Amino acid sequence: MKKTGLFLGILIMLSGCSEADRYNFDGSSDNWDVFYTVDVTSEDSKEATGKIVYTGKDPAPETIIYSIGSTAGASSGNVSVDDDEVLVDRSACEGCTDIQQDEELEVEIKWDGHVEEFALTTE
């Protein structure tokens, strides 16, 4: 009986450790929609991916410089725009500050002499 109780206790602890929190952030500006997903894999590590979509009336720019920042760090790049969108490379960090679901992420997108800044939030 003791072994069964010990086994169940370990199983419960391990199942709690395997669940990650996933936060879906999004936001829009006059010319851009941004979708950003953060998977909190442990108390001090996370992985993030995203997509930036051009929604402006003019033809999409060939390249953009973007930055998506939070208290846990930033993701940035100078990238080509293909079919009106950019896939944000997967970023990961360990030993970083935990991101919170109610946090606002700051976005800055620069292209062809234009700059737009806005926030991403979760619902």
mmCIF file of all heavy atoms in Angstrom, residues 65-116:
data_model
loop_
_atom_site.group_PDB
_atom_site.id
_atom_site.type_symbol
_atom_site.label_atom_id
_atom_site.label_comp_id
_atom_site.label_asym_id
_atom_site.label_seq_id
_atom_site.Cartn_x
_atom_site.Cartn_y
_atom_site.Cartn_z
ATOM 1 N N ILE A 65 12.300 45.643 -40.020
ATOM 2 C CA ILE A 65 13.058 45.436 -38.790
ATOM 3 C C ILE A 65 12.024 45.433 -37.679
ATOM 4 O O ILE A 65 11.250 46.384 -37.546
ATOM 5 C CB ILE A 65 14.093 46.557 -38.557
ATOM 6 C CG1 ILE A 65 15.104 46.581 -39.695
ATOM 7 C CG2 ILE A 65 14.788 46.364 -37.210
ATOM 8 C CD1 ILE A 65 16.017 47.793 -39.673
ATOM 9 N N TYR A 66 11.964 44.369 -36.922
ATOM 10 C CA TYR A 66 10.961 44.269 -35.862
ATOM 11 C C TYR A 66 11.616 43.993 -34.525
ATOM 12 O O TYR A 66 12.727 43.468 -34.441
ATOM 13 C CB TYR A 66 9.927 43.173 -36.171
ATOM 14 C CG TYR A 66 10.459 41.777 -35.957
ATOM 15 C CD1 TYR A 66 10.359 41.165 -34.706
ATOM 16 C CD2 TYR A 66 11.077 41.073 -36.976
ATOM 17 C CE1 TYR A 66 10.861 39.892 -34.493
ATOM 18 C CE2 TYR A 66 11.576 39.803 -36.773
ATOM 19 C CZ TYR A 66 11.471 39.223 -35.529
ATOM 20 O OH TYR A 66 11.966 37.960 -35.314
ATOM 21 N N SER A 67 10.893 44.347 -33.478
ATOM 22 C CA SER A 67 11.286 44.022 -32.112
ATOM 23 C C SER A 67 10.019 43.749 -31.323
ATOM 24 O O SER A 67 9.053 44.510 -31.406
ATOM 25 C CB SER A 67 12.058 45.182 -31.490
ATOM 26 O OG SER A 67 12.324 44.920 -30.129
ATOM 27 N N ILE A 68 10.010 42.641 -30.586
ATOM 28 C CA ILE A 68 8.900 42.297 -29.693
ATOM 29 C C ILE A 68 9.521 42.130 -28.319
ATOM 30 O O ILE A 68 10.318 41.220 -28.105
ATOM 31 C CB ILE A 68 8.189 41.008 -30.132
ATOM 32 C CG1 ILE A 68 7.655 41.155 -31.556
ATOM 33 C CG2 ILE A 68 7.063 40.660 -29.154
ATOM 34 C CD1 ILE A 68 7.110 39.874 -32.159
ATOM 35 N N GLY A 69 9.194 43.016 -27.381
ATOM 36 C CA GLY A 69 9.844 43.007 -26.082
ATOM 37 C C GLY A 69 8.896 42.739 -24.938
ATOM 38 O O GLY A 69 7.718 43.090 -24.976
ATOM 39 N N SER A 70 9.443 42.092 -23.908
ATOM 40 C CA SER A 70 8.704 41.817 -22.678
ATOM 41 C C SER A 70 9.671 41.901 -21.510
ATOM 42 O O SER A 70 10.866 42.124 -21.705
ATOM 43 C CB SER A 70 8.083 40.410 -22.728
ATOM 44 O OG SER A 70 9.092 39.433 -22.616
ATOM 45 N N THR A 71 9.165 41.679 -20.312
ATOM 46 C CA THR A 71 10.047 41.667 -19.144
ATOM 47 C C THR A 71 11.012 40.496 -19.192
ATOM 48 O O THR A 71 12.043 40.512 -18.544
ATOM 49 C CB THR A 71 9.229 41.576 -17.840
ATOM 50 O OG1 THR A 71 8.427 40.387 -17.885
ATOM 51 C CG2 THR A 71 8.357 42.798 -17.647
ATOM 52 N N ALA A 72 10.671 39.455 -19.984
ATOM 53 C CA ALA A 72 11.510 38.259 -20.084
ATOM 54 C C ALA A 72 12.562 38.370 -21.175
ATOM 55 O O ALA A 72 13.348 37.463 -21.366
ATOM 56 C CB ALA A 72 10.634 37.039 -20.334
ATOM 57 N N GLY A 73 12.578 39.461 -21.930
ATOM 58 C CA GLY A 73 13.554 39.617 -23.003
ATOM 59 C C GLY A 73 12.884 40.104 -24.271
ATOM 60 O O GLY A 73 11.734 40.526 -24.263
ATOM 61 N N ALA A 74 13.621 40.039 -25.378
ATOM 62 C CA ALA A 74 13.105 40.545 -26.646
ATOM 63 C C ALA A 74 13.445 39.590 -27.779
ATOM 64 O O ALA A 74 14.409 38.847 -27.725
ATOM 65 C CB ALA A 74 13.681 41.920 -26.928
ATOM 66 N N SER A 75 12.604 39.657 -28.795
ATOM 67 C CA SER A 75 12.850 38.957 -30.047
ATOM 68 C C SER A 75 12.917 40.036 -31.114
ATOM 69 O O SER A 75 12.079 40.941 -31.132
ATOM 70 C CB SER A 75 11.697 37.992 -30.329
ATOM 71 O OG SER A 75 11.874 37.359 -31.571
ATOM 72 N N SER A 76 13.918 39.983 -31.978
ATOM 73 C CA SER A 76 14.038 41.015 -32.991
ATOM 74 C C SER A 76 14.697 40.446 -34.234
ATOM 75 O O SER A 76 15.298 39.369 -34.202
ATOM 76 C CB SER A 76 14.844 42.198 -32.458
ATOM 77 O OG SER A 76 16.147 41.794 -32.113
ATOM 78 N N GLY A 77 14.569 41.179 -35.322
ATOM 79 C CA GLY A 77 15.190 40.726 -36.549
ATOM 80 C C GLY A 77 15.034 41.723 -37.669
ATOM 81 O O GLY A 77 14.216 42.645 -37.609
ATOM 82 N N ASN A 78 15.861 41.552 -38.678
ATOM 83 C CA ASN A 78 15.803 42.293 -39.934
ATOM 84 C C ASN A 78 15.492 41.233 -40.977
ATOM 85 O O ASN A 78 16.366 40.448 -41.329
ATOM 86 C CB ASN A 78 17.134 42.985 -40.187
ATOM 87 C CG ASN A 78 17.118 43.857 -41.413
ATOM 88 O OD1 ASN A 78 16.217 43.782 -42.239
ATOM 89 N ND2 ASN A 78 18.129 44.689 -41.543
ATOM 90 N N VAL A 79 14.243 41.168 -41.432
ATOM 91 C CA VAL A 79 13.776 40.019 -42.196
ATOM 92 C C VAL A 79 13.045 40.415 -43.468
ATOM 93 O O VAL A 79 12.530 41.519 -43.595
ATOM 94 C CB VAL A 79 12.838 39.138 -41.331
ATOM 95 C CG1 VAL A 79 13.591 38.502 -40.175
ATOM 96 C CG2 VAL A 79 11.668 39.942 -40.814
ATOM 97 N N SER A 80 12.978 39.472 -44.402
ATOM 98 C CA SER A 80 12.227 39.651 -45.645
ATOM 99 C C SER A 80 10.747 39.377 -45.398
ATOM 100 O O SER A 80 10.393 38.515 -44.601
ATOM 101 C CB SER A 80 12.733 38.682 -46.707
ATOM 102 O OG SER A 80 14.061 38.960 -47.033
ATOM 103 N N VAL A 81 9.916 40.115 -46.117
ATOM 104 C CA VAL A 81 8.468 39.911 -46.045
ATOM 105 C C VAL A 81 8.074 39.076 -47.261
ATOM 106 O O VAL A 81 8.291 39.479 -48.398
ATOM 107 C CB VAL A 81 7.717 41.261 -46.045
ATOM 108 C CG1 VAL A 81 6.212 41.037 -46.038
ATOM 109 C CG2 VAL A 81 8.155 42.123 -44.883
ATOM 110 N N ASP A 82 7.518 37.898 -47.027
ATOM 111 C CA ASP A 82 7.089 37.000 -48.097
ATOM 112 C C ASP A 82 5.585 36.831 -48.039
ATOM 113 O O ASP A 82 5.037 36.456 -46.997
ATOM 114 C CB ASP A 82 7.760 35.630 -47.953
ATOM 115 C CG ASP A 82 9.277 35.711 -48.124
ATOM 116 O OD1 ASP A 82 9.727 36.463 -48.998
ATOM 117 O OD2 ASP A 82 9.982 35.027 -47.366
ATOM 118 N N ASP A 83 4.905 37.088 -49.153
ATOM 119 C CA ASP A 83 3.437 36.953 -49.218
ATOM 120 C C ASP A 83 2.763 37.731 -48.086
ATOM 121 O O ASP A 83 1.855 37.230 -47.412
ATOM 122 C CB ASP A 83 3.019 35.485 -49.173
ATOM 123 C CG ASP A 83 3.494 34.714 -50.402
ATOM 124 O OD1 ASP A 83 3.532 35.315 -51.488
ATOM 125 O OD2 ASP A 83 3.824 33.523 -50.249
ATOM 126 N N ASP A 84 3.220 38.947 -47.861
ATOM 127 C CA ASP A 84 2.652 39.871 -46.867
ATOM 128 C C ASP A 84 2.814 39.419 -45.423
ATOM 129 O O ASP A 84 2.114 39.909 -44.543
ATOM 130 C CB ASP A 84 1.160 40.136 -47.128
ATOM 131 C CG ASP A 84 0.910 40.877 -48.433
ATOM 132 O OD1 ASP A 84 1.864 41.470 -48.978
ATOM 133 O OD2 ASP A 84 -0.236 40.867 -48.909
ATOM 134 N N GLU A 85 3.724 38.472 -45.142
ATOM 135 C CA GLU A 85 3.903 38.068 -43.761
ATOM 136 C C GLU A 85 5.341 37.652 -43.464
ATOM 137 O O GLU A 85 6.117 37.340 -44.350
ATOM 138 C CB GLU A 85 2.927 36.969 -43.348
ATOM 139 C CG GLU A 85 3.088 35.662 -44.045
ATOM 140 C CD GLU A 85 2.028 34.653 -43.610
ATOM 141 O OE1 GLU A 85 0.850 35.023 -43.471
ATOM 142 O OE2 GLU A 85 2.404 33.490 -43.417
ATOM 143 N N VAL A 86 5.616 37.654 -42.166
ATOM 144 C CA VAL A 86 6.921 37.264 -41.646
ATOM 145 C C VAL A 86 6.669 36.264 -40.527
ATOM 146 O O VAL A 86 5.829 36.503 -39.659
ATOM 147 C CB VAL A 86 7.674 38.490 -41.066
ATOM 148 C CG1 VAL A 86 8.905 38.064 -40.299
ATOM 149 C CG2 VAL A 86 8.008 39.484 -42.146
ATOM 150 N N LEU A 87 7.390 35.164 -40.548
ATOM 151 C CA LEU A 87 7.330 34.224 -39.423
ATOM 152 C C LEU A 87 8.457 34.583 -38.469
ATOM 153 O O LEU A 87 9.618 34.672 -38.876
ATOM 154 C CB LEU A 87 7.470 32.785 -39.913
ATOM 155 C CG LEU A 87 6.340 32.292 -40.808
ATOM 156 C CD1 LEU A 87 6.614 30.864 -41.251
ATOM 157 C CD2 LEU A 87 5.000 32.377 -40.103
ATOM 158 N N VAL A 88 8.110 34.802 -37.227
ATOM 159 C CA VAL A 88 9.093 35.139 -36.198
ATOM 160 C C VAL A 88 9.769 33.848 -35.780
ATOM 161 O O VAL A 88 9.101 32.894 -35.375
ATOM 162 C CB VAL A 88 8.413 35.823 -34.990
ATOM 163 C CG1 VAL A 88 9.415 36.081 -33.891
ATOM 164 C CG2 VAL A 88 7.733 37.116 -35.429
ATOM 165 N N ASP A 89 11.096 33.805 -35.921
ATOM 166 C CA ASP A 89 11.850 32.600 -35.562
ATOM 167 C C ASP A 89 11.595 32.207 -34.121
ATOM 168 O O ASP A 89 11.413 33.062 -33.244
ATOM 169 C CB ASP A 89 13.351 32.825 -35.750
ATOM 170 C CG ASP A 89 13.751 32.838 -37.215
ATOM 171 O OD1 ASP A 89 13.020 32.253 -38.037
ATOM 172 O OD2 ASP A 89 14.788 33.438 -37.533
ATOM 173 N N ARG A 90 11.625 30.909 -33.889
ATOM 174 C CA ARG A 90 11.463 30.384 -32.525
ATOM 175 C C ARG A 90 12.612 30.905 -31.675
ATOM 176 O O ARG A 90 13.770 30.790 -32.042
ATOM 177 C CB ARG A 90 11.457 28.863 -32.530
ATOM 178 C CG ARG A 90 11.338 28.259 -31.130
ATOM 179 C CD ARG A 90 11.202 26.744 -31.173
ATOM 180 N NE ARG A 90 9.959 26.315 -31.802
ATOM 181 C CZ ARG A 90 8.792 26.222 -31.160
ATOM 182 N NH1 ARG A 90 8.708 26.542 -29.889
ATOM 183 N NH2 ARG A 90 7.715 25.815 -31.786
ATOM 184 N N SER A 91 12.266 31.476 -30.554
ATOM 185 C CA SER A 91 13.288 31.905 -29.609
ATOM 186 C C SER A 91 13.047 31.177 -28.299
ATOM 187 O O SER A 91 11.924 30.836 -27.962
ATOM 188 C CB SER A 91 13.239 33.425 -29.394
ATOM 189 O OG SER A 91 12.017 33.805 -28.791
ATOM 190 N N ALA A 92 14.112 30.920 -27.599
ATOM 191 C CA ALA A 92 14.013 30.216 -26.326
ATOM 192 C C ALA A 92 15.014 30.820 -25.361
ATOM 193 O O ALA A 92 16.037 31.363 -25.765
ATOM 194 C CB ALA A 92 14.288 28.729 -26.513
ATOM 195 N N CYS A 93 14.689 30.759 -24.092
ATOM 196 C CA CYS A 93 15.650 31.191 -23.088
ATOM 197 C C CYS A 93 15.480 30.333 -21.841
ATOM 198 O O CYS A 93 14.395 29.844 -21.561
ATOM 199 C CB CYS A 93 15.489 32.669 -22.754
ATOM 200 S SG CYS A 93 14.010 33.080 -21.832
ATOM 201 N N GLU A 94 16.573 30.141 -21.166
ATOM 202 C CA GLU A 94 16.572 29.453 -19.883
ATOM 203 C C GLU A 94 17.223 30.382 -18.877
ATOM 204 O O GLU A 94 18.138 31.121 -19.210
ATOM 205 C CB GLU A 94 17.321 28.127 -19.983
ATOM 206 C CG GLU A 94 16.576 27.128 -20.842
ATOM 207 C CD GLU A 94 17.163 25.741 -20.767
ATOM 208 O OE1 GLU A 94 17.770 25.412 -19.731
ATOM 209 O OE2 GLU A 94 16.996 25.004 -21.738
ATOM 210 N N GLY A 95 16.732 30.380 -17.668
ATOM 211 C CA GLY A 95 17.236 31.300 -16.657
ATOM 212 C C GLY A 95 16.666 32.698 -16.841
ATOM 213 O O GLY A 95 17.168 33.671 -16.300
ATOM 214 N N CYS A 96 15.586 32.799 -17.626
ATOM 215 C CA CYS A 96 14.997 34.111 -17.888
ATOM 216 C C CYS A 96 13.824 34.364 -16.933
ATOM 217 O O CYS A 96 13.313 33.461 -16.294
ATOM 218 C CB CYS A 96 14.525 34.202 -19.332
ATOM 219 S SG CYS A 96 13.423 32.872 -19.853
ATOM 220 N N THR A 97 13.404 35.585 -16.903
ATOM 221 C CA THR A 97 12.264 35.979 -16.095
ATOM 222 C C THR A 97 10.997 35.394 -16.703
ATOM 223 O O THR A 97 10.834 35.370 -17.911
ATOM 224 C CB THR A 97 12.144 37.520 -16.071
ATOM 225 O OG1 THR A 97 13.369 38.059 -15.621
ATOM 226 C CG2 THR A 97 11.018 37.981 -15.177
ATOM 227 N N ASP A 98 10.107 34.928 -15.865
ATOM 228 C CA ASP A 98 8.857 34.340 -16.317
ATOM 229 C C ASP A 98 7.952 35.426 -16.883
ATOM 230 O O ASP A 98 7.785 36.482 -16.297
ATOM 231 C CB ASP A 98 8.177 33.635 -15.136
ATOM 232 C CG ASP A 98 7.027 32.759 -15.553
ATOM 233 O OD1 ASP A 98 6.886 32.489 -16.764
ATOM 234 O OD2 ASP A 98 6.275 32.337 -14.669
ATOM 235 N N ILE A 99 7.365 35.167 -18.036
ATOM 236 C CA ILE A 99 6.417 36.094 -18.638
ATOM 237 C C ILE A 99 5.041 35.831 -18.030
ATOM 238 O O ILE A 99 4.717 34.696 -17.691
ATOM 239 C CB ILE A 99 6.407 35.932 -20.171
ATOM 240 C CG1 ILE A 99 5.724 37.120 -20.817
ATOM 241 C CG2 ILE A 99 5.782 34.636 -20.584
ATOM 242 C CD1 ILE A 99 6.003 37.223 -22.286
ATOM 243 N N GLN A 100 4.251 36.869 -17.883
ATOM 244 C CA GLN A 100 2.929 36.757 -17.271
ATOM 245 C C GLN A 100 1.839 36.885 -18.321
ATOM 246 O O GLN A 100 1.990 37.623 -19.294
ATOM 247 C CB GLN A 100 2.747 37.842 -16.205
ATOM 248 C CG GLN A 100 3.778 37.793 -15.096
ATOM 249 C CD GLN A 100 3.740 36.498 -14.324
ATOM 250 O OE1 GLN A 100 2.678 36.019 -13.956
ATOM 251 N NE2 GLN A 100 4.904 35.911 -14.089
ATOM 252 N N GLN A 101 0.744 36.200 -18.111
ATOM 253 C CA GLN A 101 -0.367 36.217 -19.061
ATOM 254 C C GLN A 101 -0.937 37.624 -19.245
ATOM 255 O O GLN A 101 -1.328 37.999 -20.340
ATOM 256 C CB GLN A 101 -1.473 35.268 -18.606
ATOM 257 C CG GLN A 101 -2.632 35.210 -19.563
ATOM 258 C CD GLN A 101 -3.673 34.198 -19.163
ATOM 259 O OE1 GLN A 101 -3.576 33.567 -18.130
ATOM 260 N NE2 GLN A 101 -4.669 34.017 -19.991
ATOM 261 N N ASP A 102 -0.977 38.417 -18.191
ATOM 262 C CA ASP A 102 -1.560 39.757 -18.289
ATOM 263 C C ASP A 102 -0.550 40.824 -18.700
ATOM 264 O O ASP A 102 -0.869 42.007 -18.733
ATOM 265 C CB ASP A 102 -2.237 40.144 -16.978
ATOM 266 C CG ASP A 102 -1.263 40.155 -15.800
ATOM 267 O OD1 ASP A 102 -0.095 39.725 -15.964
ATOM 268 O OD2 ASP A 102 -1.662 40.601 -14.716
ATOM 269 N N GLU A 103 0.639 40.413 -19.070
ATOM 270 C CA GLU A 103 1.682 41.346 -19.485
ATOM 271 C C GLU A 103 1.374 41.905 -20.872
ATOM 272 O O GLU A 103 0.749 41.248 -21.698
ATOM 273 C CB GLU A 103 3.023 40.604 -19.510
ATOM 274 C CG GLU A 103 4.207 41.487 -19.746
ATOM 275 C CD GLU A 103 5.513 40.731 -19.547
ATOM 276 O OE1 GLU A 103 5.521 39.679 -18.894
ATOM 277 O OE2 GLU A 103 6.516 41.224 -20.059
ATOM 278 N N GLU A 104 1.805 43.143 -21.133
ATOM 279 C CA GLU A 104 1.724 43.723 -22.465
ATOM 280 C C GLU A 104 3.103 43.651 -23.095
ATOM 281 O O GLU A 104 4.085 44.044 -22.483
ATOM 282 C CB GLU A 104 1.273 45.186 -22.405
ATOM 283 C CG GLU A 104 -0.190 45.352 -22.163
ATOM 284 C CD GLU A 104 -0.661 46.784 -22.388
ATOM 285 O OE1 GLU A 104 0.161 47.672 -22.727
ATOM 286 O OE2 GLU A 104 -1.862 47.017 -22.234
ATOM 287 N N LEU A 105 3.173 43.133 -24.316
ATOM 288 C CA LEU A 105 4.427 43.068 -25.044
ATOM 289 C C LEU A 105 4.496 44.264 -25.979
ATOM 290 O O LEU A 105 3.507 44.593 -26.643
ATOM 291 C CB LEU A 105 4.525 41.772 -25.849
ATOM 292 C CG LEU A 105 4.270 40.463 -25.095
ATOM 293 C CD1 LEU A 105 4.501 39.278 -26.018
ATOM 294 C CD2 LEU A 105 5.137 40.363 -23.870
ATOM 295 N N GLU A 106 5.634 44.911 -26.029
ATOM 296 C CA GLU A 106 5.811 46.089 -26.872
ATOM 297 C C GLU A 106 6.384 45.679 -28.225
ATOM 298 O O GLU A 106 7.392 44.981 -28.295
ATOM 299 C CB GLU A 106 6.741 47.091 -26.194
ATOM 300 C CG GLU A 106 6.194 47.638 -24.878
ATOM 301 C CD GLU A 106 4.874 48.359 -25.039
ATOM 302 O OE1 GLU A 106 4.715 49.107 -26.033
ATOM 303 O OE2 GLU A 106 3.987 48.171 -24.189
ATOM 304 N N VAL A 107 5.734 46.130 -29.303
ATOM 305 C CA VAL A 107 6.165 45.820 -30.661
ATOM 306 C C VAL A 107 6.594 47.097 -31.358
ATOM 307 O O VAL A 107 5.936 48.135 -31.225
ATOM 308 C CB VAL A 107 5.017 45.174 -31.471
ATOM 309 C CG1 VAL A 107 5.423 44.960 -32.917
ATOM 310 C CG2 VAL A 107 4.577 43.891 -30.837
ATOM 311 N N GLU A 108 7.698 46.997 -32.104
ATOM 312 C CA GLU A 108 8.123 48.087 -32.970
ATOM 313 C C GLU A 108 8.459 47.476 -34.328
ATOM 314 O O GLU A 108 9.192 46.484 -34.396
ATOM 315 C CB GLU A 108 9.343 48.802 -32.407
ATOM 316 C CG GLU A 108 9.817 49.934 -33.308
ATOM 317 C CD GLU A 108 11.035 50.643 -32.761
ATOM 318 O OE1 GLU A 108 12.146 50.109 -32.965
ATOM 319 O OE2 GLU A 108 10.857 51.705 -32.142
ATOM 320 N N ILE A 109 7.871 48.053 -35.387
ATOM 321 C CA ILE A 109 8.147 47.594 -36.744
ATOM 322 C C ILE A 109 8.597 48.799 -37.565
ATOM 323 O O ILE A 109 7.913 49.829 -37.586
ATOM 324 C CB ILE A 109 6.904 46.941 -37.386
ATOM 325 C CG1 ILE A 109 6.458 45.734 -36.543
ATOM 326 C CG2 ILE A 109 7.207 46.521 -38.827
ATOM 327 C CD1 ILE A 109 5.176 45.085 -37.007
ATOM 328 N N LYS A 110 9.755 48.656 -38.222
ATOM 329 C CA LYS A 110 10.309 49.710 -39.073
ATOM 330 C C LYS A 110 10.392 49.197 -40.503
ATOM 331 O O LYS A 110 10.808 48.058 -40.732
ATOM 332 C CB LYS A 110 11.726 50.084 -38.604
ATOM 333 C CG LYS A 110 11.795 50.645 -37.208
ATOM 334 C CD LYS A 110 13.234 50.946 -36.849
ATOM 335 C CE LYS A 110 13.345 51.432 -35.416
ATOM 336 N NZ LYS A 110 14.748 51.737 -35.058
ATOM 337 N N TRP A 111 9.997 50.043 -41.458
ATOM 338 C CA TRP A 111 10.106 49.691 -42.866
ATOM 339 C C TRP A 111 10.034 50.958 -43.714
ATOM 340 O O TRP A 111 9.280 51.869 -43.410
ATOM 341 C CB TRP A 111 9.010 48.705 -43.271
ATOM 342 C CG TRP A 111 7.657 49.333 -43.491
ATOM 343 C CD1 TRP A 111 7.073 49.627 -44.679
ATOM 344 C CD2 TRP A 111 6.726 49.783 -42.493
ATOM 345 N NE1 TRP A 111 5.845 50.217 -44.502
ATOM 346 C CE2 TRP A 111 5.614 50.315 -43.157
ATOM 347 C CE3 TRP A 111 6.737 49.786 -41.107
ATOM 348 C CZ2 TRP A 111 4.518 50.851 -42.489
ATOM 349 C CZ3 TRP A 111 5.644 50.326 -40.439
ATOM 350 C CH2 TRP A 111 4.553 50.843 -41.123
ATOM 351 N N ASP A 112 10.838 51.017 -44.729
ATOM 352 C CA ASP A 112 10.811 52.087 -45.735
ATOM 353 C C ASP A 112 10.615 53.482 -45.133
ATOM 354 O O ASP A 112 9.810 54.276 -45.620
ATOM 355 C CB ASP A 112 9.711 51.821 -46.768
ATOM 356 C CG ASP A 112 9.903 50.516 -47.514
ATOM 357 O OD1 ASP A 112 11.055 50.035 -47.591
ATOM 358 O OD2 ASP A 112 8.900 49.969 -48.023
ATOM 359 N N GLY A 113 11.303 53.796 -44.063
ATOM 360 C CA GLY A 113 11.193 55.108 -43.430
ATOM 361 C C GLY A 113 10.000 55.270 -42.502
ATOM 362 O O GLY A 113 9.755 56.350 -41.984
ATOM 363 N N HIS A 114 9.229 54.224 -42.270
ATOM 364 C CA HIS A 114 8.065 54.259 -41.371
ATOM 365 C C HIS A 114 8.378 53.484 -40.094
ATOM 366 O O HIS A 114 9.165 52.546 -40.095
ATOM 367 C CB HIS A 114 6.840 53.604 -42.030
ATOM 368 C CG HIS A 114 6.421 54.224 -43.306
ATOM 369 N ND1 HIS A 114 5.694 55.382 -43.370
ATOM 370 C CD2 HIS A 114 6.645 53.843 -44.591
ATOM 371 C CE1 HIS A 114 5.465 55.694 -44.635
ATOM 372 N NE2 HIS A 114 6.045 54.767 -45.400
ATOM 373 N N VAL A 115 7.708 53.891 -39.017
ATOM 374 C CA VAL A 115 7.830 53.175 -37.740
ATOM 375 C C VAL A 115 6.444 53.110 -37.100
ATOM 376 O O VAL A 115 5.741 54.117 -37.056
ATOM 377 C CB VAL A 115 8.779 53.895 -36.762
ATOM 378 C CG1 VAL A 115 8.833 53.168 -35.426
ATOM 379 C CG2 VAL A 115 10.178 54.024 -37.346
ATOM 380 N N GLU A 116 6.067 51.924 -36.658
ATOM 381 C CA GLU A 116 4.830 51.790 -35.883
ATOM 382 C C GLU A 116 5.143 51.027 -34.614
ATOM 383 O O GLU A 116 5.894 50.049 -34.633
ATOM 384 C CB GLU A 116 3.737 51.053 -36.693
ATOM 385 C CG GLU A 116 3.198 51.908 -37.816
ATOM 386 C CD GLU A 116 2.005 51.297 -38.521
ATOM 387 O OE1 GLU A 116 1.474 50.262 -38.083
ATOM 388 O OE2 GLU A 116 1.610 51.880 -39.542
#
